[in-house]
Amino acid sequence: MAVEIEIPDDIIRRWEERTDPVVKYPAPVLRQVARPVDHPSPFIRDLVERMKAAMVEASGVGLAAPQMGAPVRLFIYRLPEDNQPWRVILNPRIISAKGEQVGPEGCLSLPYLQGDVKRANEVIVKGLDIMGRPFKRRASEFEARVIQHELDHLDGVLFIDRADPATVHWLSDEEEPDEMLEAVAAR
Ligand code: NI
């Protein structure tokens, strides 16, 4: 179910201070079902490069193409630990999901909002890499949460739709964490 929230004036002002190009709620593109990628065309490869730059600028962990205004099925992520590679998944599908975890999530399209979301603890995701080669990846815990959050974006689903309403709250200036946005990071 698509949950709607009201954005307080002081939060809108803080959003306006952000320099990153990530599309903010309630832009309609965030509620669209994205279309599959045919092949990694120059447009797609350029989009991925722009997504990486936007994610770094916004201090995010992951980013889905609709958040750049492009309703196509791809997302990227890079875990916050040192020396983690960029991961790019075109046409992702979760083919197996196991267990359960509950933890805080945020989103670069809803900066400074946070809430607890229940997710599968372990997933196997299938898709294409940036060269168009099929691959499969098993992920658990934080990485599994990021994958589920980003995949939701491709179906027009936001974390507020899944979050426990009692836990959803705006972060104050002081609480604002560096890499909390766009799914997560329990700290
Ligand atoms: Ni998000």
Side-chain angles (χ1 to χ4, degrees), residues 86-105:
W86 285 104
R87 299 199 185 274
V88 180
I89 311 186
L90 315 183
N91 300 339
R93 272 194 310 130
I94 288 175
I95 58 166
S96 160
K98 273 193 258 178
E100 196 177 290
Q101 57 172 319
V102 177
E105 295 192 15

Side-chain angles (χ1 to χ4, degrees), residues 8 14 21-22 24 38 52-53 63-64 69 74 95 99 104 119 127 138 150 169 184:
R14 285 165 73 197
V22 176
K24 305 298 187 289
D38 293 335
K52 287 179 181 175
L63 193 66
L74 82 88
I95 58 166
R119 300 284 190 186
R138 180 189 297 268
E150 300 309 335
H169 65 285
V184 259

